Amino acid sequence: MKKDDCFYLGKIVKKYSFKGELLAKLDTDEPDLYDNLDAIFIDLRGNLVPFFIEASQLHKSDLLRLKFEDVDNEADADALLKSELYLPLDLLPKLEGNKFYFHEVIGFTMNDENFGKVGKIVAINDSTTQALFEVDRNGIEILIPMNDKFIIKIDRDNKTVIVNTPEGLIDLYLSE
């Protein structure tokens, strides 16, 4: 399994008991969706390794308490601390309407209701305060804030994101 075929679920943040149990901080708004997993992939030195889950339960809302098969003591648990957790993309719940996963819209065309075709979405930059669509327009990078007020429609059938950005925003990138 490659990372490209998976989504980031969270990170193991600390040990829970001397019996090898661990707590994972999940990167999701709905942690209860992941309470009954059979297995999970753990990133160990750049390789995704499957671990089978003996037991799991939510712990203090956004933490998931995990007991893996063959992780039975503190030393085994220590080896997994700070490791990232991944699941196959097909386990993501389907989103409807204008809700979308970042990876889902990469490669979509962006159209602005006033400007017209902006270009192709090549990445999502979520390292800033507000996430940004990175759009390629014939070699020019255009950054569009991922703001609910701007996003009019996610058209999955036609692989298009329709936005309505403030007048002049797109032109700022083209007037050089």
Side-chain angles (χ1 to χ4, degrees):
M1 184 69 64
K2 297 190 299 261
K3 273 192 189 175
D4 290 347
D5 302 324
C6 295
F7 67 95
Y8 173 78
L9 180 62
K11 188 174 201 168
I12 296 174
V13 291
K14 61 183 168 182
K15 294 181 289 189
Y16 183 74
S17 72
F18 62 89
K19 296 178 185 171
E21 289 180 293
L22 294 154
L23 290 176
K25 173 120 176 64
L26 300 184
D27 183 28
T28 177
D29 296 334
E30 300 180 62
D32 51 323
L33 291 176
Y34 304 101
D35 193 16
N36 295 312
L37 297 172
D38 297 323
I40 201 161
F41 289 98
I42 298 180
D43 184 349
L44 298 177
R45 294 176 295 288
N47 295 312
L48 291 186
V49 179
F51 277 75
F52 294 96
I53 299 170
E54 277 182 19
S56 68
Q57 73 182 64
L58 284 178
H59 180 80
K60 295 182 182 171
S61 72
D62 66 344
L63 293 176
L64 185 64
R65 184 170 144 195
L66 293 163
K67 174 65 179 95
F68 294 113
E69 285 182 12
D70 302 324
V71 177
D72 298 316
N73 56 50
E74 284 191 75
D76 293 344
D78 277 334
L80 298 176
L81 280 177
K82 296 191 169 67
S83 296
E84 294 180 344
L85 305 175
Y86 291 86
L87 285 173
L89 286 172
D90 58 9
L91 291 181
L92 274 175
K94 292 283 181 239
L95 295 179
E96 301 290 322
N98 285 350
K99 291 184 177 183
F100 61 92
Y101 296 109
F102 289 178
H103 72 271
E104 183 181 9
V105 296
I106 305 297
F108 279 30
T109 300
M110 178 173 283
N111 291 323
D112 184 89
E113 287 187 327
N114 300 311
F115 182 86
K117 182 178 176 182
V118 181
K120 185 174 289 283
I121 300 170
V122 293
I124 303 292
N125 181 342
D126 62 349
S127 63
T128 58
T129 307
Q130 181 173 33
L132 302 166
F133 288 109
E134 291 182 14
V135 182
D136 177 56
R137 180 181 175 83
N138 304 322
I140 299 170
E141 180 183 61
I142 299 174
L143 301 175
I144 306 289
M146 203 178 286
N147 183 316
D148 288 342
K149 293 178 188 153
F150 297 170
I151 300 169
I152 304 303
K153 184 176 184 203
I154 305 296
D155 184 347
R156 289 173 174 84
D157 294 335
N158 295 308
K159 296 191 178 299
T160 305
V161 174
I162 300 165
V163 295
N164 188 339
T165 59
E167 190 174 330
L169 176 69
I170 296 167
D171 293 323
L172 288 174
Y173 292 95
L174 304 176
S175 60
E176 292 184 14

